[in-house]
Amino acid sequence: MSDDLRARLLAVLTEELSIDPATVRDDSDLVADLGFDSVAFSVGSVAIEESIGVRVPINDLMECLTFGDLTALVQKAEHP
């Protein structure tokens, strides 16, 4: 996993979803630890596309359980 991609995703979460970056680890659960809900997944999907330039289908995004899963999904979409 690219540290640069991780940093860019962390910036998106911090800016768009007001998530404290100090609470985010690769094994952080998106729902239980970071407070994601259906709105956060939708906002996150749009923010990832606008900020990083990678389109991640909302259904794929909602299958992610952890921040590490999210990073891997975006990395896969960025480098198909």
Side-chain angles (χ1 to χ4, degrees), residues 25-40:
R25 298 185 328 258
D26 288 336
D27 64 346
S28 294
D29 186 285
L30 295 176
V31 175
D33 298 331
L34 303 180
F36 269 56
D37 58 15
S38 58
V39 173

Side-chain angles (χ1 to χ4, degrees), residues 9-29:
L9 275 174
L10 189 56
V12 168
L13 296 183
T14 301
E15 186 174 313
E16 299 295 329
L17 301 174
S18 301
I19 292 175
D20 178 1
T23 65
V24 180
R25 298 185 328 258
D26 288 336
D27 64 346
S28 294
D29 186 285

Side-chain angles (χ1 to χ4, degrees), residues 12-72:
V12 168
L13 296 183
T14 301
E15 186 174 313
E16 299 295 329
L17 301 174
S18 301
I19 292 175
D20 178 1
T23 65
V24 180
R25 298 185 328 258
D26 288 336
D27 64 346
S28 294
D29 186 285
L30 295 176
V31 175
D33 298 331
L34 303 180
F36 269 56
D37 58 15
S38 58
V39 173
F41 279 107
S42 295
V43 169
S45 178
V46 171
I48 289 167
E49 186 170 357
E50 290 177 353
S51 299
I52 298 176
V54 176
R55 185 177 182 284
V56 179
I58 187 70
N59 292 339
D60 292 346
L61 186 63
M62 292 183 78
E63 290 180 12
C64 293
L65 299 178
T66 66
F67 180 70
D69 294 342
L70 173 62
T71 305

